[in-house]
Amino acid sequence: MSGKQDLESNDSTTLTSWKKYLLTEIDGDKATAPLSAYCFMTGFIDAVCFSAIFVWCAFQTGNTVQLGLALARLFNGQHDYSFHIADQQALCSLITFIIGASIARIGDKMGCKTRAWLALGTLIQTLFTMAAAIAIWKNGQTSVADSRADPAWTNTLSFVCIGFMSASMGLQGIMGKRTNTQFTTTVVLTTTWCELMADPQLFNIRRLVISRDHKILAIGSLFLGGFLGRAIVDVIGSAGTLGVGTGLRFIISIWWLFVPGKAAKR
């Protein structure tokens, strides 16, 4: 009887230890690798979207301005009331990006810097990417557009793909921002470029400067992601590339579980 009680006690202790481990906040200074991977995924996913429709699913500044231009056409004297396909795609991306970002509110309940939320949130991004891959695989259209006037994706399933990709980027952006590191959102790199150029230690190359070096790493990771994303699209198409992205995001979700926790204050 005592042996059974000891076994139950050990199980309870193990469960408590795991719960404590998962709900421990990560040390942002030691999360360089997964946050760099986030930046890589921004370039990787955007390469797929932009190659097909010339719309960014992560950089919503351009989509917002594009919708402003679409509205302005109503008053240019020609009275163009048509809702162009490019504007529809930009609107789809913007709305689903906001929806994805809203999902990040779950992290407020669990703790936005806990291993549990960072792993779970990235797993949700993985599922969104997988859904986008399946949608564009069933879509059957080509992966690369010849010109802005002739996008490669035009049917309903392509909008589903755009929506899931944009939602994954919205969720990633808020999760990256909440870690409160030099990587900022891992999505909007214009701000990162400005902060890099404004860094007082920008040209101090004789020593490591985290505020500068992490921003350079973020920009380099984004560039590498875009380069490899487009290279893979040219070889295996959009669906296959998003399949690769699904696998990469799954690896990142597991990666968060091994990031060191924040040291307790003495």
Side-chain angles (χ1 to χ4, degrees):
M1 184 71 177
S2 63
K4 183 177 180 181
Q5 290 177 341
D6 290 341
L7 183 61
E8 290 177 351
S9 177
N10 290 336
D11 289 343
S12 177
T13 301
T14 301
L15 184 61
T16 302
S17 298
W18 266 105
K19 184 177 180 180
K20 182 179 179 181
Y21 180 82
L22 292 174
L23 294 179
T24 298
E25 291 191 355
I26 59 107
D27 185 344
D29 293 335
K30 298 179 180 178
T32 302
L35 288 172
S36 296
Y38 265 12
C39 294
F40 176 90
M41 290 308 303
T42 299
F44 192 88
I45 297 296
D46 262 333
V48 177
C49 191
F50 191 79
S51 296
I53 59 174
F54 297 100
V55 167
W56 306 108
C57 61
F59 309 143
Q60 295 304 322
T61 302
N63 293 337
T64 303
V65 173
Q66 182 174 333
L67 292 173
L69 297 177
L71 186 62
R73 284 200 302 269
L74 298 175
F75 308 99
N76 65 358
Q78 298 179 7
H79 302 294
D80 182 1
Y81 298 111
S82 60
F83 195 10
H84 297 181
I85 183 68
D87 301 331
Q88 295 176 36
Q89 292 165 334
L91 180 61
C92 173
S93 178
L94 178 59
I95 291 174
T96 50
F97 183 93
I98 293 171
I99 292 172
S102 300
I103 295 174
R105 292 288 181 180
I106 298 173
D108 294 341
K109 305 295 183 182
M110 299 176 61
C112 57
K113 295 184 181 180
T114 61
R115 293 189 182 100
W117 166 242
L118 290 168
L120 176 61
T122 309
L123 184 60
I124 295 173
Q125 296 172 34
T126 303
L127 296 175
F128 284 167
T129 309
M130 182 173 66
I134 294 172
I136 209 61
W137 171 58
K138 299 294 287 185
N139 171 43
Q141 294 184 304
T142 58
S143 301
V144 179
D146 295 325
S147 67
R148 289 180 180 271
D150 185 26
W153 301 347
T154 55
N155 63 18
T156 302
L157 281 175
S158 69
F159 278 86
V160 173
C161 177
I162 295 166
F164 276 116
M165 284 195 295
S166 300
S168 74
M169 296 314 306
L171 176 56
Q172 177 189 301
I174 301 304
M175 290 178 64
K177 180 62 177 177
R178 292 288 177 85
T179 59
N180 194 28
T181 66
Q182 298 296 331
F183 287 86
T184 61
T185 67
T186 74
V187 173
V188 183
L189 272 292
T190 303
T191 302
T192 305
W193 272 110
C194 292
E195 291 178 352
L196 173 63
M197 300 311 297
D199 196 310
Q201 302 296 323
L202 177 61
F203 297 110
N204 189 353
I205 60 176
R206 295 184 178 181
R207 66 185 184 92
L208 295 176
V209 180
I210 291 178
S211 62
R212 175 200 64 196
D213 299 343
H214 281 190
K215 290 181 176 66
I216 293 174
L217 186 58
I219 293 168
S221 298
L222 176 82
F223 179 86
L224 181 62
F227 172 79
L228 291 179
R230 177 53 193 258
I232 296 173
V233 165
D234 288 337
V235 175
I236 61 176
S238 298
T241 304
L242 289 172
V244 173
T246 300
L248 292 174
R249 273 190 158 148
F250 180 74
I251 292 172
I252 299 169
S253 68
I254 301 300
W255 206 337
W256 282 116
L257 298 176
F258 298 98
V259 175
K262 187 182 296 184
K265 295 182 179 179
R266 294 183 179 180

